Amino acid sequence: MKRTLKRTLKRTGHEAREERRRLQLRIGLVAGVVVFSLVAVVARAYFLQVVRHDYYLACQQQQRSSNILVHCDRGEIRAADGGQLAINVKGRALYAEPRRIKDGRSLAREIAPILELEASALEQRLSGERGFVWLKRSLAPAQVKALQPWCEKEPGLAFLEESQRVYPNRELAGQVLGFTNIDCQGQEGLEVYYEKFLKGQQLYLELEHDARRQVVDSSEYPEFEHYKGKNIYLTIDRQLQAWAEAELERAVSESRGRGGVALIMNAADGAILAMAQNPRFNPNSKLKNNPSLWRNRAVVDLMEPGSTFKVFTLVAALESGLFKIDDLIDCEEGKYKVGRRTIHDTHEYGKLRLDEVLKYSSNIGCSKIVSRVGAEGFAEVLHNFGFGSRSGIDYPHEPSSRLRPWRRWRAIDLCNLAFGQGVSVTPIQLVAAYAALANGGCRVQPHLVSRIVSSAGWTVYEHPCPSAPQRACSSAVARQVDQALALVVEDDGTAPQARIPGFRVAGKTGTAQKYDFVEKSYSHSDYWASFVGYVDPPEGQSRKVVYVLVDEPRSSIYGGMVAAPAFQRLNRRLVSYLNYASKAEFAKLEMPETEEPAVKDAAAQPSEALQQTANLMPDFTGQTIRDALALVGGYRRSLKISGQGRIVAQKPAAGTLLAPGLDFVFQLSSEI
Amino acid sequence: MALEKEQQQWGRLNGCLLVVMVGMIFYCSWLNNKIVTRSYRLNELRQDEKKLVEERDKLQAELATLKRPQNLARLARALGLQEPLPGHKVVLP
């Protein structure tokens, strides 16, 4: 029994040891597998995180984030009164990724009518393996709405937000402002001159995406306002500009002229208050206009000043000390021979005082004066007034006035110069020279921009006040010449039409023959008629030099007949606007009845638009109800309007012949 | 006896740690989910803001167009207004 028990115990102990050994083996095996797995995981993690770190980081960034280029808005251009002259609105452009488009042909056929493009041209753009192609920029709101379903359906078609430059005052100061191209880069006028201030910065923005390419907002969104271009404030006053354009248009149309220029400049600081031109130009539709209209003739075009130049002859005479204002000049009864050439006056004058030479605009009197002053003395005076160089106005492409070196002047050249022939100046250079006279003989630099303000509100530039102005002539001479200029508007002067009752007006007429480059001689039919002068302001205010020029007038050729009335009408408005008039003077002042020039867009001019479209229903889509009402008013139909925002649908359809009694139905939506 | 007590204490501590850990995991997940949801919402609001800014810009452009001196003069004439007559304009000192 004992033996059996011993054997059993011995076997049990052996089995227990075996069992433990097997258990240890299993544990060791599992532990080995776990350890091996852990080592494998760690090794793999090391491989991924350390060895291939850069590669997988790049992959992750590519999948999770994208960089987009953001063009921050261009700065605004504002008038002196703060009115917006050039602003930005957001628009949409349509682009395609041709390599992602399956059936370019059918897509082109479907969207070509919406884009108003040829289907074949569009198909060509959509074909191929290119990664990006513009289809149309600056889409109208109605086009965006019509294309929306296509963009959702077609992966290779999408909109891109873009900024569009808008000139809300349309033709007002169109040539002065210039315009930008489709990428909002300055191309003409102030837009190009101040490009470095106006243009907004470009930013790269990193966006984070989820697996479905939805943007997960990044908290590091920059304040785009800080990267906008700077705002420019002009010296131009919108009201004066509008009146200058209106009066100029009236002068041009009444004289059946080809065009014209009108300027108003503050003589004390050189600020340009108005710079008008005719024909006018709307920068919003630059491509529909003749490129010759883009040119700002007040700054860019050189022309002979004619008799308006005689005032500098008088200055030269008085500055030389050889003449006194009451000296008599024999005007030879209208004919005076210089070498082989004969100089004529329009009337036969005998002996005239120096100031009367200016009053009656005698060519012979001026010729005799400069002959005595001499070429060198006269040239010095002209240079002192800025002739022969640029005025320095902040506007691109200003040429220097053309004045040959005085040593090369022959006797006849000198005489011609005395009455404004053989010299070419731009209107702004002439006005700047007159401003010096009006300012007591001190020259100031004409300028269009008064200050530049950053988007944060900091003034980064301010036109400097003329601390030590350059003297063109003595103040005594300027005073004497001013008195002589006041004689011009007397009853027997050359421009009584420029007179304003109750105010002292001083100025000078100009009637310059145009040079015919084909005939190589002065034309006998084409002239520039001009008037330049100023009205004396009350004490404490500075003089404003006003210049009106009409190109090739036909009703009359004389500045006193063509330009002086426009000068007078413009000044009547100016003296009222700038509070020159006391109550008593104001009672005498009659306002001209010149209507502001007609606006050339359909919305603001329903009658013309109606005449053009006869009895066809116009396309109102994308317009505001206000614009549409302006047009619809002419049709005398009843209206049904639903929704709010802009017009997205209309009945009858555009182009439908309008039957009597048919009502208009407009569907509006703000989701354009 | 003492060993059992010690084991119980360790068990409770482990249990607590486990609860805290699970709680933190849930909290982090909830927080992360909130961040993502709010980011989407923020992005939507940014888009809305962009649309409103666009609309504002368009309205400003329209307002500036309507306030053109020529337009105001035309509308004033249409309403029968005239240039100020003598004595109408009073300049305050």
Side-chain angles (χ1 to χ4, degrees):
Chain A
M1 183 70 185
K2 259 186 182 177
R3 194 179 288 166
T4 312
L5 185 65
K6 262 186 184 177
R7 251 187 238 150
T8 307
L9 280 173
K10 196 177 177 181
R11 202 175 58 233
T12 310
H14 179 74
E15 278 173 0
R17 276 200 303 276
E18 266 302 299
E19 188 72 22
R20 186 181 287 171
R21 199 176 60 81
R22 274 205 298 261
L23 192 66
Q24 279 175 344
L25 192 70
R26 261 187 261 158
I27 289 169
L29 203 67
V30 170
V33 168
V34 169
V35 168
F36 179 77
S37 303
L38 276 173
V39 169
V41 167
V42 169
R44 182 67 184 158
Y46 180 82
F47 178 76
L48 294 176
Q49 294 288 327
V50 180
V51 180
R52 304 292 308 273
H53 172 266
D54 293 344
Y55 170 74
Y56 285 108
L57 190 69
C59 287
Q60 181 262 354
Q61 278 175 348
Q62 200 178 357
Q63 284 168 13
R64 275 188 69 92
S65 62
S66 62
N67 281 321
I68 60 161
L69 181 63
V70 179
H71 296 269
C72 293
D73 277 347
R74 194 173 170 82
E76 292 180 357
I77 301 180
R78 287 171 176 260
D81 59 338
Q84 293 162 310
L85 296 173
I87 55 175
N88 308 295
V89 292
K90 288 277 179 284
R92 295 280 185 280
L94 185 71
Y95 74 91
E97 295 173 66
R99 63 175 164 219
R100 293 177 69 192
I101 292 172
K102 286 170 197 157
D103 189 0
R105 175 176 284 188
S106 65
L107 181 65
R109 256 186 279 129
E110 295 286 349
I111 64 170
I114 305 171
L115 294 172
E116 294 164 1
L117 294 172
E118 286 283 326
S120 54
L122 196 60
E123 189 189 327
Q124 207 173 2
R125 272 195 248 177
L126 289 172
S127 59
E129 280 300 305
R130 278 179 295 176
F132 181 94
V133 63
W134 285 117
L135 295 185
K136 192 161 186 183
R137 309 281 299 270
S138 308
L139 292 166
Q143 288 175 312
V144 174
K145 191 169 172 60
L147 288 163
Q148 196 78 50
W150 289 100
C151 290
E152 284 163 13
K153 206 160 54 180
E154 184 60 64
L157 208 61
F159 290 117
L160 202 67
E161 189 184 89
E162 62 177 5
S163 196
Q164 287 170 9
R165 198 67 161 164
V166 173
Y167 303 89
N169 288 270
R170 293 174 183 163
E171 284 92 353
L172 194 85
Q175 281 97 346
V176 179
L177 297 174
F179 53 84
T180 62
N181 63 10
I182 205 158
D183 293 316
C184 274
Q185 291 162 330
Q187 298 294 296
E188 279 286 338
L190 289 173
E191 290 276 26
V192 69
Y193 192 86
Y194 283 102
E195 173 70 9
K196 70 174 177 182
F197 291 104
L198 284 167
K199 77 171 174 193
Q201 290 183 38
Q202 293 186 352
L203 296 177
Y204 278 97
L205 192 65
E206 195 174 326
L207 295 178
E208 210 172 302
H209 298 282
D210 62 8
R212 287 182 293 172
R213 301 295 291 172
Q214 274 184 291
V215 174
V216 182
D217 195 87
S218 154
S219 57
E220 290 167 11
Y221 236 68
E223 283 293 330
F224 292 118
E225 284 288 314
H226 295 164
Y227 298 93
K228 266 179 71 175
K230 293 166 187 68
N231 294 338
I232 282 181
Y233 286 79
L234 304 189
T235 53
I236 284 186
D237 183 295
R238 283 191 307 161
Q239 188 58 69
L240 290 178
Q241 178 74 24
W243 282 332
E245 288 182 7
E247 295 303 346
L248 182 66
E249 183 152 311
R250 182 173 164 187
V252 170
S253 78
E254 281 179 357
S255 64
R256 301 194 303 279
R258 230 180 98 188
V261 170
L263 281 164
I264 306 176
M265 177 175 160
N266 188 344
D269 63 3
I272 304 292
L273 304 178
M275 189 178 262
Q277 186 169 318
N278 191 274
R280 301 191 305 153
F281 154 69
N282 182 352
N284 292 311
S285 50
K286 52 193 176 274
L287 297 176
K288 290 179 192 164
N289 289 299
N290 186 337
S292 66
L293 286 183
W294 301 350
R295 200 173 75 238
N296 184 357
R297 300 183 64 190
V299 179
V300 173
D301 275 15
L302 286 164
M303 51 192 76
E304 288 198 348
S307 297
T308 51
F309 209 65
K310 285 173 182 163
V311 74
F312 305 106
T313 304
L314 192 66
V315 171
L318 296 169
E319 279 283 303
S320 67
L322 298 169
F323 292 91
K324 286 192 186 117
I325 198 76
D326 50 4
D327 283 353
L328 292 175
I329 310 287
D330 185 2
C331 292
E332 309 280 349
E333 300 298 331
K335 277 186 187 171
Y336 177 57
K337 231 170 159 51
V338 178
R340 285 180 298 159
R341 300 271 301 275
T342 307
I343 295 170
H344 298 272
D345 271 340
T346 48
H347 296 93
E348 293 167 5
Y349 300 113
K351 286 192 175 171
L352 293 176
R353 279 161 48 104
L354 213 61
D355 50 3
E356 286 174 335
V357 168
L358 199 68
K359 178 181 179 181
Y360 299 117
S361 199
S362 167
N363 294 341
I364 295 169
C366 287
S367 304
K368 285 194 159 185
I369 290 168
V370 288
S371 300
R372 208 166 138 201
V373 170
E376 191 178 358
F378 189 41
E380 192 186 336
V381 167
L382 294 183
H383 283 296
N384 287 344
F385 276 93
F387 296 115
S389 56
R390 295 185 180 93
S391 72
I393 190 171
D394 45 349
Y395 196 88
H397 317 307
E398 187 201 1
S400 297
S401 48
R402 302 267 163 82
L403 190 63
R404 284 190 298 152
W406 65 269
R407 286 177 203 281
R408 286 166 56 192
W409 294 349
R410 295 170 296 159
I412 188 67
D413 295 332
L414 185 61
C415 292
N416 284 339
L417 271 174
F419 51 86
Q421 277 193 349
V423 56
S424 297
V425 300
T426 63
I428 192 69
Q429 288 159 1
L430 188 69
V431 170
Y434 265 80
L437 279 174
N439 195 30
C442 291
R443 268 176 72 189
V444 287
Q445 191 181 317
H447 61 276
L448 282 159
V449 169
S450 59
R451 62 199 167 101
I452 300 174
V453 180
S454 75
S455 51
W458 297 101
T459 300
V460 294
Y461 168 82
E462 196 151 16
H463 187 82
C465 292
S467 52
Q470 199 183 335
R471 190 156 275 286
C473 67
S474 69
S475 56
V477 168
R479 204 164 39 247
Q480 284 178 308
V481 173
D482 167 54
Q483 282 162 3
L485 285 171
L487 301 177
V488 174
V489 299
E490 285 185 352
D491 281 340
D492 55 342
T494 51
Q497 292 94 326
R499 206 166 54 224
I500 303 172
F503 293 90
R504 182 180 176 275
V505 178
K508 183 71 192 86
T509 54
T511 307
Q513 283 175 287
K514 289 181 88 170
Y515 192 79
D516 189 333
F517 287 95
V518 180
E519 298 289 328
K520 294 195 174 161
S521 66
Y522 281 102
S523 167
H524 291 290
S525 58
D526 299 337
Y527 289 81
W528 280 301
S530 60
F531 190 90
V532 55
Y534 46 86
V535 177
D536 268 5
E539 211 170 302
Q541 288 203 47
S542 54
R543 284 169 171 164
K544 313 288 183 291
V545 178
V546 176
Y547 175 74
V548 178
L549 173 123
V550 177
D551 185 11
E552 294 185 20
R554 294 293 177 227
S555 63
S556 167
I557 57 165
Y558 298 109
M561 302 290 286
V562 175
F567 168 90
Q568 191 246 30
R569 288 193 300 267
L570 187 52
N571 269 298
R572 278 203 318 227
R573 290 186 183 277
L574 188 118
V575 297
S576 167
Y577 184 65
L578 299 177
N579 298 326
Y580 279 15
S582 66
K583 201 170 178 182
E585 286 161 338
F586 196 80
K588 295 179 217 157
L589 204 63
E590 283 176 22
M591 284 299 129
E593 291 179 354
T594 309
E595 294 234 355
E596 274 67 15
V599 182
K600 284 170 186 157
D601 58 297
Q605 207 178 30
S607 55
E608 269 189 25
L610 287 176
Q611 282 167 11
Q612 284 167 10
T613 52
N615 279 328
L616 294 180
M617 178 69 174
D619 187 3
F620 291 104
T621 45
Q623 289 193 27
T624 61
I625 195 69
R626 195 182 289 109
D627 286 349
L629 283 171
L631 258 176
V632 167
Y635 287 95
R636 298 180 191 280
R637 308 286 175 123
S638 64
L639 286 177
K640 283 179 191 162
I641 302 164
S642 59
Q644 55 181 340
R646 287 178 182 269
I647 296 169
V648 290
Q650 64 178 66
K651 257 184 192 176
T656 313
L657 193 66
L658 291 171
L662 201 65
D663 294 339
F664 291 168
V665 183
F666 291 128
Q667 171 73 47
L668 278 67
S669 172
S670 55
E671 292 175 18
I672 295 183
Chain B
M1 195 68 180
L3 189 69
E4 269 181 19
K5 205 174 177 181
E6 197 179 331
Q7 277 177 343
Q8 272 178 358
Q9 277 176 349
W10 271 108
R12 265 192 232 121
L13 188 68
N14 285 343
C16 283
L17 279 174
L18 193 71
V19 168
V20 168
M21 216 168 77
V22 169
M24 278 184 71
I25 288 169
F26 273 104
Y27 177 69
C28 287
S29 306
W30 175 82
L31 207 62
N32 196 44
N33 183 269
K34 271 281 172 206
I35 289 169
V36 172
T37 316
R38 290 280 160 90
S39 296
Y40 285 132
R41 179 76 188 126
L42 200 58
N43 195 47
E44 276 173 25
L45 290 172
R46 282 235 160 91
Q47 296 302 320
D48 289 349
E49 186 201 10
K50 204 187 256 184
K51 276 183 192 164
L52 289 171
V53 168
E54 277 179 34
E55 190 62 29
R56 183 203 63 188
D57 288 350
K58 278 178 188 162
L59 288 170
Q60 273 182 351
E62 198 179 330
L63 183 68
T65 306
L66 291 169
K67 281 168 77 177
R68 280 174 303 154
Q70 299 99 319
N71 201 44
L72 293 179
R74 188 175 60 83
L75 291 171
R77 282 204 181 87
L79 290 169
L81 300 179
Q82 292 175 339
E83 297 278 354
L85 294 169
H88 279 182
K89 191 170 175 180
V90 178
V91 182
L92 296 172

